Amino acid sequence: MSLEIIGIFVLWLFLFGYVIVASIDFGAGFFNAYSLYRGNQHILNKIIQRYLSPVWEVTNVFLVFFFVGIVGFFPQSAYYYGTTLLVPISLAIILLAIRGSYYAFSTYGNRMPKRYTYVYGLSGLFIPASLSIVFTISEGGFISIEQSGPVLDIASLFTSPLTWSIVVLSITAVLYISAVFLTWYAHYAKDEEATTLLRKYALIWAIPSLITAIGIIVELKFHNPEHFERLVDLWWMFALSVLFFIGTFILIYKRMNYGLAFTLLCGQYYLAFFAYGISHYPYLLYPHLSIFDSFTNEAMAIALIIAFIAGLGLLLPSLYLLLRLFLFNKEYVQGRNDSHV
Amino acid sequence: MASEQGVLYSRALTELTLTFHIIYATIGVGIPLMIMIAQWIGIKKQDDHYILLARRWARGFVITVAVGVVTGTAIGLQLSLLWPHFMELVGHIIALPLFMEVFAFFFEAIFLGIYLYTWDRFENQKKHLLLLIPVALGASFSAVFITVVNAFMNSPQGFDIVDGQIVNISPLLAMFSPAMPTKVAHVLSTAYMTSAFILASIAAYRMLRGSTHLYHKKALYLTLKLALVFSISTALLGDFAGKYLAEYQPEKLAAAEWHFETEENAPLILYGVLDDEEIKYAIRIPYALSILAHSNPFAEVIGLDQFDEDVTPPLYIHYLFDIMVTLGMLLILIALLYIIGLIRKWSFIHSKWFLWIMVLSGPLSMIAIEVGWWFTEVGRQPWILHGLMRTAEAATSNEYVGWMLVLFACLYLLLGAGSIYVLTSMFNRNTVEQELADRKIEKGGDTFES
């Protein structure tokens, strides 16, 4: 396996990690706001707080890891994406900043006024929308290379059905992933009331998330036929992903083994995400930037991979400890052991 | 290429973000060490006051960490958004420390979460103390790695340029650039120093507000002792940094000192104003610049006459340099007076006016940090990579930078106001006296060392 492939594989894995943990986070914020609106916030509040409090910072690091990594492994991407993405990424940063800080402000400081809970909940849906624009742009057709450098055609980006489909996909996926995880988590915490409500959300968002995902494959046929061809070649991965989806849905519907349901859900998104990634090969930005012409020099690549392995050696045990102490600690999860500073 | 206005806006936005981020980042680097020390002393002395100190600092720390994390994410992305050419080039050479910084941050984030949520969970407080070690290490190492990147910008090395192509890249050599040792040491030392002074400010403020509790006296003594140690080390390291400048970036030192002509026995110019190349109202200390630059009163110091005008930094950095050094000296004096005063039992250290001075010490230290960073960054102009790439060549060609500047300014205003409001109301609602009573802490150790 070449260094380029290792590099992009590692980054894609971390991006996948971010998609899952951030979806849980964003979705939780939305469900929390929605339940406040419906007047039954007391049902979800505790479950969500208990999950989010010790991990909110860690979520952010997955994103930082991805963008620092991509500049490290593929420095040229900084030039193309950096120049063109100023506006959407800046908006995402601002929303992330407001979200992250107000979460800490309210959890550790004061109780959050109602309107912040709404802003917090809604911002969680705008962030995936603004970040997912990167995926749209990577399909090509929105960036032209001018004398001054690459320029993003904002008008055609905003009128393209592909853009909006990806936005809708990201939002439905966020709500679906989050609902399934929280259903399992609430059940694990023996909070039946919350489980029932979250199970309902999971079932509601399952079908739209599948429909939008399939819709995008169809749209790529018109937007980027070359990419579509490669997607079709990987049909078996998508088929397996759909099977996993059906498995999750049945388990949730029958109120059986939510833990397995969440595992299948991760499998479903892992397969789809990687199949999409593989079919994108070898382009980082179609057709201007491939992983080969943007790759860093060999010395840096090797140094980064060594740093990465050493870093993981440090991180994996730490993450395991975090999970043991909180997510998989029955006493903590069930709220019998709340020892916040 | 970016327009002139684009370059200006990019610089302004970067400066704004960093200026705001540095406040929270400095606290983020220094406070974990202070919490660790307080917790350790508490365990060692079996004194619950120190444990409570650690606990209350940790509670406030979370709020500042949150703002530090989100603004750090902002600057991390802005580097690529505002300076795409720079990141493209630098990615090839210096990506390693950037990458390692993320690992340090990751490590800190995990253990901070564990630390905050395991109060009262471990019977043995020593176990809890162990959790703080990775937090403090992660925080300090983030600072080390990110400063390594900044040091590289000041003294790029670890590669060759052959016919406009970068070859022979050595990531490790790039990390260990000449500017690295002094910069990293100075940054760490000032972060610890500032955090200690800020915590001292809080204790002094509580005492001014009429609280006579032993808890605040212990806090003040502990933090000012630490502040004294770190402010002295900061001054020493600052001197090394000056010697580094004389050797590797003489134009920065010359601009900072308004040293126009290369000469031996160079005097140091303190304060003053510049009026058409004429220095007025300044204090000239003979030989001092030669000593600062080369530890030798008769040594030759390179002046601005050796450089083309288009590669010399703006001369206003002299004021920044003066403010930084003056504040540093003043802070050493404050800490020294307090500590000696305690030992010799001088009564004025308990007087209102001296308490007010100690309240000011935290903010002054933070101002010194900001001014020091502006000095070092503006002193590198017009280069983004010293001697290699000009700032104007690196900026983005995107035309919306101005708008983003406005948006981010609003964001920082919001975050700044929010964090101040939350922090003050958090501690006003729950005073030390109340918390001590709530937790039924009587065992506070009534021996106040002095």
Side-chain angles (χ1 to χ4, degrees):
Chain A
M1 201 156 51
S2 68
L3 290 172
E4 288 90 341
I5 307 276
I6 296 177
I8 198 71
F9 177 78
V10 163
L11 293 174
W12 205 241
L13 198 66
F14 265 81
L15 192 59
F16 174 72
Y18 182 68
V19 167
I20 296 293
V21 291
S23 293
I24 295 172
D25 185 2
F26 296 147
F30 179 79
F31 291 134
N32 193 32
Y34 181 71
S35 62
L36 179 70
Y37 174 72
R38 294 291 301 267
N40 53 6
Q41 200 201 10
H42 57 278
I43 302 177
L44 296 185
N45 201 6
K46 272 193 204 126
I47 284 294
I48 288 174
Q49 289 281 324
R50 223 172 285 148
Y51 164 72
L52 287 182
S53 297
V55 300
W56 63 272
E57 272 186 287
V58 179
T59 308
N60 216 32
V61 192
F62 279 93
L63 177 67
V64 179
F65 192 100
F66 175 75
F67 70 70
V68 170
I70 198 157
V71 174
F73 279 105
F74 305 96
Q76 254 188 309
S77 61
Y79 173 63
Y80 283 93
Y81 281 116
T83 310
T84 48
L85 289 176
L86 179 73
V87 176
I89 299 288
S90 291
L91 292 177
I93 303 172
I94 289 172
L95 291 171
L96 275 172
I98 293 175
R99 241 185 97 78
S101 51
Y102 273 106
Y103 179 75
F105 289 179
S106 68
T107 314
Y108 303 93
N110 303 32
R111 295 197 51 198
M112 202 189 274
K114 257 190 181 180
R115 61 177 182 282
Y116 288 138
T117 309
Y118 292 134
V119 172
Y120 184 80
L122 281 178
S123 70
L125 298 187
F126 285 116
I127 294 168
S130 57
L131 289 177
S132 65
I133 283 184
V134 181
F135 288 105
T136 320
I137 291 171
S138 77
E139 292 301 333
F142 301 107
I143 286 179
S144 54
I145 308 294
E146 311 267 315
Q147 183 84 45
S148 60
V151 174
L152 179 64
D153 184 350
I154 292 185
S156 75
L157 179 69
F158 273 87
T159 50
S160 160
L162 183 67
T163 311
W164 295 105
S165 313
I166 292 184
V167 165
V168 175
L169 170 71
S170 68
I171 293 173
T172 51
V174 157
L175 294 172
Y176 177 55
I177 292 172
S178 183
V180 172
F181 174 81
L182 290 170
T183 306
W184 168 72
Y185 193 70
H187 180 71
Y188 187 67
K190 296 210 165 77
D191 187 339
E192 284 315 312
E193 212 183 354
T195 313
T196 311
L197 185 62
L198 289 160
R199 173 180 166 271
K200 200 174 84 191
Y201 292 155
L203 294 176
I204 288 173
W205 288 104
I207 304 296
S209 78
L210 187 70
I211 293 172
T212 46
I214 294 170
I216 282 171
I217 298 180
V218 177
E219 267 169 50
L220 270 182
K221 188 175 177 182
F222 303 103
H223 189 86
N224 185 341
E226 205 182 319
H227 190 180
F228 176 76
E229 290 292 317
R230 280 195 303 270
L231 274 173
V232 172
D233 288 343
L234 293 166
W235 67 270
W236 59 275
M237 285 180 84
F238 289 102
L240 211 56
S241 173
V242 172
L243 277 181
F244 280 17
F245 168 82
I246 295 169
T248 311
F249 191 82
I250 291 174
L251 287 172
I252 300 261
Y253 185 75
K254 300 207 150 179
R255 294 191 169 83
M256 277 159 56
N257 203 340
Y258 294 128
L260 180 64
F262 181 66
T263 314
L264 287 179
L265 171 113
C266 288
Q268 173 208 334
Y269 278 96
Y270 181 88
L271 282 168
F273 199 72
F274 270 78
Y276 172 81
I278 294 167
S279 65
H280 213 290
Y281 176 86
Y283 294 105
L284 287 177
L285 173 60
Y286 182 86
H288 304 294
L289 196 63
S290 81
I291 67 171
F292 297 104
D293 47 52
S294 66
F295 197 58
T296 188
N297 59 87
E298 204 181 323
M300 181 54 79
I302 291 169
L304 287 179
I305 288 170
I306 292 172
F308 174 74
I309 292 168
L312 272 194
L314 209 61
L315 278 186
L316 291 178
S318 321
L319 271 174
Y320 177 74
L321 184 67
L322 185 76
L323 293 178
R324 285 299 308 205
L325 283 170
F326 299 103
L327 289 191
F328 298 115
N329 183 300
K330 277 218 150 115
E331 296 222 326
Y332 174 81
V333 172
Q334 293 173 5
R336 274 185 274 147
N337 193 341
D338 222 358
S339 38
H340 166 357
V341 65
Chain B
M1 275 296 276
S3 65
E4 211 166 288
Q5 202 178 34
V7 179
L8 196 70
Y9 285 152
S10 298
R11 283 187 59 190
L13 180 49
T14 310
E15 182 165 358
L16 182 69
T17 303
L18 278 175
T19 299
F20 189 72
H21 176 63
I22 282 166
I23 298 173
Y24 295 88
T26 302
I27 294 173
V29 172
I31 300 268
L33 186 74
M34 306 298 143
I35 299 175
M36 192 169 95
I37 292 172
Q39 178 106 354
W40 178 62
I41 293 179
I43 292 170
K44 210 181 63 170
K45 289 192 172 177
Q46 294 288 310
D47 185 336
D48 285 339
H49 281 162
Y50 288 99
I51 304 272
L52 186 63
L53 210 54
R55 191 168 188 147
R56 286 175 69 88
W57 286 346
R59 210 177 294 144
F61 177 63
V62 189
I63 304 298
T64 60
V65 163
V67 181
V69 168
V70 296
T71 52
T73 309
I75 188 64
L77 276 160
Q78 278 175 359
L79 283 177
S80 295
L81 296 174
L82 298 174
W83 311 100
H85 289 279
F86 164 71
M87 284 306 270
E88 187 187 4
L89 177 64
V90 156
H92 281 287
I93 312 165
I94 198 80
L96 183 61
L98 271 175
F99 202 62
M100 286 160 83
E101 199 259 340
V102 185
F103 275 114
F105 171 37
F106 214 144
F107 198 51
E108 181 196 349
I110 291 174
F111 281 94
L112 183 64
I114 298 178
Y115 175 76
L116 293 174
Y117 279 83
T118 48
W119 276 96
D120 302 330
R121 193 152 148 190
F122 296 122
E123 283 292 314
N124 187 348
Q125 277 291 320
K126 275 187 196 153
K127 267 193 199 166
H128 202 217
L129 174 66
L130 284 180
L131 291 171
L132 269 174
I133 297 172
V135 179
L137 274 180
S140 292
F141 271 96
S142 307
V144 169
F145 291 129
I146 209 66
T147 312
V148 164
V149 177
N150 184 272
F152 173 82
M153 295 161 78
N154 280 279
S155 53
Q157 69 164 30
F159 60 94
D160 293 315
I161 296 182
V162 178
D163 302 330
Q165 295 287 316
I166 303 173
V167 292
N168 295 336
I169 292 166
S170 161
L172 284 179
L173 206 60
M175 280 178 71
F176 292 94
S177 60
M180 186 277 238
T182 45
K183 244 184 205 299
V184 167
H186 196 67
V187 163
L188 283 181
S189 179
T190 51
Y192 301 145
M193 162 186 162
T194 305
S195 304
F197 274 117
I198 284 175
L199 296 172
S201 296
I202 297 170
Y205 182 74
R206 285 292 158 193
M207 287 163 81
L208 260 178
R209 289 279 112 153
S211 176
T212 53
H213 204 283
L214 201 55
Y215 170 92
H216 297 300
K217 287 185 186 154
K218 286 178 185 170
L220 194 62
Y221 178 65
L222 172 65
T223 50
L224 277 182
K225 202 161 57 171
L226 291 168
L228 180 64
V229 172
F230 288 120
S231 53
I232 291 174
S233 73
T234 296
L236 283 174
L237 293 164
D239 181 59
F240 293 149
K243 292 184 171 39
Y244 156 79
L245 285 184
E247 179 84 27
Y248 291 93
Q249 278 175 295
E251 77 274 29
K252 194 188 218 171
L253 186 70
E257 282 307 324
W258 289 344
H259 185 62
F260 297 109
E261 321 257 303
T262 305
E263 59 181 349
E264 293 166 6
N265 316 334
L268 185 75
I269 292 171
L270 273 182
Y271 315 112
V273 284
L274 197 63
D275 189 16
D276 263 350
E277 296 246 334
E278 204 183 325
I279 302 166
K280 289 181 179 165
Y281 317 113
I283 305 168
R284 302 173 80 92
I285 308 174
Y287 308 110
L289 186 59
S290 289
I291 297 174
L292 176 74
H294 302 290
S295 308
N296 171 2
F298 313 111
E300 184 185 73
V301 181
I302 298 170
L304 283 173
D305 56 349
Q306 303 284 320
F307 299 94
D308 278 343
E309 222 166 273
D310 68 333
V311 292
T312 52
L315 291 174
Y316 74 81
I317 63 171
H318 173 73
Y319 303 112
L320 302 175
F321 186 74
D322 274 354
I323 296 172
M324 172 181 80
V325 174
T326 309
L327 287 176
M329 293 299 155
L330 204 66
L331 286 163
I332 294 181
L333 191 71
I334 295 173
L336 201 62
L337 274 178
Y338 179 80
I339 299 295
I340 295 179
L342 261 187
I343 297 168
R344 318 272 326 238
K345 301 209 183 331
W346 292 339
S347 59
F348 78 85
I349 59 162
H350 305 298
S351 65
K352 268 213 160 138
W353 64 269
F354 197 72
L355 281 174
W356 270 117
I357 288 180
M358 287 190 286
V359 171
L360 282 178
S361 69
L364 287 179
S365 190
M366 192 57 87
I367 292 171
I369 293 252
E370 295 285 5
V371 172
W373 270 112
W374 295 335
F375 160 65
T376 186
E377 295 303 284
V378 179
R380 169 157 60 90
Q381 293 307 317
W383 304 106
I384 192 164
L385 281 172
H386 187 250
L388 201 67
M389 182 187 252
R390 281 169 188 261
T391 310
E393 296 165 333
T396 180
S397 53
N398 196 297
E399 52 199 305
Y400 294 99
V401 186
W403 284 106
M404 295 303 118
L405 178 61
V406 176
L407 271 180
F408 276 99
C410 297
L411 172 72
Y412 300 143
L413 214 63
L414 194 72
L415 291 182
S419 58
I420 292 170
Y421 170 73
V422 171
L423 280 172
T424 47
S425 66
M426 200 161 125
F427 288 106
N428 283 340
R429 248 184 314 131
N430 184 11
T431 60
V432 176
E433 285 80 1
Q434 199 184 333
E435 194 165 349
L436 284 167
D438 288 349
R439 293 185 192 283
K440 298 192 178 61
I441 295 177
E442 284 118 27
K443 185 171 57 104
D446 44 14
T447 49
F448 178 53
E449 34 165 357
S450 58

